[in-house]
Amino acid sequence: MSLEVLKRGLLATVQDLGRKGYGKYGISSSGAMDSYACSLANWLAGNDGGEALLEITWSGFSIRFLRDTLASITGADLAPESSGISVPMWRPVIFRKGSELTFKRPVSGCRSYVAVLGGIDVPEVMGSRSTYMRAEIGGLKGRALQSGDVLQVKHTAFETRCMWSSVWNAEYPFQSVDWSASPRYTYGHPHQIVRVTRGRKYGDFSSLAQERLFQDEYIVKPESDRMGYRLKGPQLQLVTPREYVSEGVAVGTVQVPADGQPIILMADRQTLGGYPKIAQVASVDLSRVAQLPPGGSIRFHEISQSESEGLYFEQARKMKLMKSMIDYRLREGFHAAAGFEL
């Protein structure tokens, strides 16, 4: 036993980077809504990027560590605290056995991620530990976490555990390092400019709809969830009303149902859709979309396909560099435990 859920909060699930290759069978990839925060949380906790972790939406969630644990918190700032002390984010943190971690209130963004050294140990389903609640698979029994749930954490290498043991005698409920992996600029801001490319049916929309898509603001509706972000704004109408044959859709596809209000498909999306696809969100901006709360706003900015691909490769290069820097600082921390401070 390693983690005990004390309060379930609004919604908390076990996620990883999702299951790949099962879309042709109608199985959504699911996985962390904010893959950027998911990867960094794992790296800062000493894991590879794909280990299972906790995705916490909004506030009210609370856990108790049942053993000394190296962890990290990334994503939304939901005011995490332990024994009344604010817990720093985007950095490695060691929690002592018996310490509690509570997410008090949303400050910026809406989804936090908690990774622990070794990763959450739940069964793999189709190559992933992510929870897909609509199909009731993955995570802990295919459902959201409940108060009283106990989660196992995979055992780590003996050497790693020994290296961290030198800082486990602190009198405080947790300790953290004096460095962090700072999030990207505008990360978690409630008003986002989101880059998109034209969708397959962009030309079927009226010139007024094409103009509105890039000039007007759209508000995130409360009905938004892990399946899709429903937006409210100027109606986007086709030149001629028509029906389409269902075809494959991806995370970030912007489709427009008959009411003219766009929907951005997210991690738990369906695999096929028949609504016309007016745009596709650049993959580098999906994490910032995932952190938008209800009431947040989006302005779409058009880029070309080549620009979108360039942004992706540039982000991949920066992420690789970030991983190397974190690995270096962690190894440094293993051998210089005095670098830890409250």
Side-chain angles (χ1 to χ4, degrees), residues 18-62:
R19 48 186 57 85
K20 313 296 183 185
Y22 293 92
K24 58 186 176 184
Y25 303 116
I27 301 297
S28 172
S29 60
S30 196
M33 288 277 281
D34 182 346
S35 60
Y36 172 80
C38 172
S39 294
L40 259 69
N42 266 317
W43 296 345
L44 290 165
N47 300 326
D48 290 332
E51 294 291 350
L53 43 55
L54 303 178
E55 180 182 89
I56 299 150
T57 303
W58 287 99
S59 57
F61 183 77
S62 180

Side-chain angles (χ1 to χ4, degrees), residues 326-341:
I326 290 172
D327 286 347
Y328 172 79
R329 298 304 297 266
L330 285 175
R331 287 195 301 271
E332 187 181 58
F334 290 156
H335 298 290
F340 275 76
E341 61 180 16

Side-chain angles (χ1 to χ4, degrees), residues 93-327:
V93 180
I94 294 178
F95 290 92
R96 299 189 67 196
K97 179 181 178 180
S99 297
E100 297 179 7
L101 174 62
T102 301
F103 293 84
K104 303 293 287 187
R105 66 185 183 285
V107 177
S108 64
C110 61
R111 290 183 173 84
S112 272
Y113 294 86
V114 178
V116 294
L117 177 61
I120 304 294
D121 191 10
V122 293
E124 274 194 6
V125 179
M126 301 179 189
S128 170
R129 293 183 168 85
S130 62
T131 309
Y132 182 22
M133 290 185 290
R134 293 177 186 275
E136 298 182 353
I137 62 173
L140 186 65
K141 303 176 182 177
R143 59 166 172 76
L145 298 177
Q146 303 292 326
S147 302
D149 284 342
V150 174
L151 296 167
Q152 306 292 334
V153 174
K154 288 192 287 185
H155 288 288
T156 55
F158 176 75
E159 180 184 11
T160 303
R161 295 175 64 83
C162 285
M163 283 189 289
W164 287 104
S165 66
S166 59
V167 295
W168 284 359
N169 296 320
E171 59 181 300
Y172 300 105
F174 67 88
Q175 284 184 291
S176 68
V177 297
D178 57 2
W179 53 270
S180 67
S182 299
R184 292 174 296 181
Y185 183 64
T186 74
Y187 184 90
H189 196 281
H191 309 287
Q192 295 285 348
I193 295 176
V194 175
R195 292 164 288 191
V196 298
T197 57
R198 294 184 181 186
R200 279 171 47 83
K201 305 302 180 186
Y202 177 83
D204 290 358
F205 285 86
S206 68
S207 56
L208 178 59
Q210 294 172 359
E211 182 178 321
R212 283 174 166 173
L213 178 67
F214 298 119
Q215 291 189 356
D216 293 314
E217 185 177 70
Y218 287 86
I219 305 299
V220 178
K221 298 172 68 174
E223 296 88 344
S224 300
D225 57 17
R226 284 182 48 88
M227 185 176 183
Y229 266 43
R230 295 181 175 274
L231 306 181
K232 181 180 181 181
Q235 285 191 328
L236 304 175
Q237 298 292 351
L238 296 166
V239 174
T240 303
R242 55 183 294 190
E243 293 186 355
Y244 294 86
V245 176
S246 293
E247 58 183 5
V249 294
V251 178
T253 295
V254 184
Q255 60 180 15
V256 183
D259 65 0
Q261 300 295 297
I263 301 171
I264 303 177
L265 301 183
M266 302 301 287
D268 284 354
R269 77 201 183 284
Q270 72 279 16
T271 56
L272 295 174
Y275 295 136
K277 297 183 286 189
I278 193 171
Q280 177 69 40
V281 175
S283 60
V284 296
D285 285 351
L286 284 171
S287 291
R288 290 191 289 119
V289 173
Q291 291 294 351
L292 277 169
S297 67
I298 288 177
R299 285 185 180 275
F300 293 109
H301 174 70
E302 184 182 10
I303 60 174
S304 67
Q305 184 65 38
S306 61
E307 288 177 305
S308 180
E309 292 170 356
L311 290 169
Y312 173 81
F313 289 119
E314 176 62 14
Q315 184 190 53
R317 186 190 67 80
K318 290 181 178 178
M319 293 287 280
K320 185 177 180 180
L321 178 61
M322 180 75 78
K323 175 70 163 58
S324 298
M325 294 174 66
I326 290 172
D327 286 347

